[in-house]
Amino acid sequence: MSARKSAEPSPEAIARSERQRLAAEEGARAIADVERRAVDIRKNMARLRELREAKEAAEQAADATLRTSSPAPASKKRTRKLPR
């Protein structure tokens, strides 16, 4: 008895190879989708970071102009407490 493989694959082997091919294609699509979303997320994070930094810079500039425009508080004279 010799167990030789036939030249034609069996229907089960054809179905298995087709499922593997489809799974590989879907996996590639899923990976590409995840990578595309990651790029979009990084772009959005960079945009939001720029907005936050610009807002913080504007607030610091406003605080600096407010400090320079308002006069310094007058120092109070220390008075001596009188003994009773």
Side-chain angles (χ1 to χ4, degrees):
M1 270 197 194
S2 62
R4 292 187 175 205
K5 293 186 177 180
S6 66
E8 286 188 39
S10 68
E12 292 85 15
I14 293 172
R16 185 180 325 111
S17 66
E18 182 67 17
R19 283 193 307 269
Q20 288 175 343
R21 184 185 64 79
L22 289 174
E25 288 176 2
E26 288 177 9
R29 269 189 245 118
I31 289 172
D33 186 41
V34 167
E35 289 173 352
R36 187 176 57 252
R37 286 182 183 173
V39 168
D40 291 341
I41 288 171
R42 285 193 297 272
K43 284 181 183 178
N44 190 36
M45 286 174 59
R47 180 184 65 85
L48 292 173
R49 183 181 310 112
E50 288 175 4
L51 287 172
R52 178 178 44 83
E53 289 172 353
K55 180 183 174 186
E56 289 173 354
E59 288 175 353
Q60 287 178 352
D63 288 345
T65 58
L66 182 63
R67 274 189 244 120
T68 57
S69 65
S70 64
S75 61
K76 294 184 178 180
K77 263 188 169 179
R78 288 187 74 186
T79 57
R80 206 173 211 189
K81 289 188 177 181
L82 300 175
R84 290 187 183 196

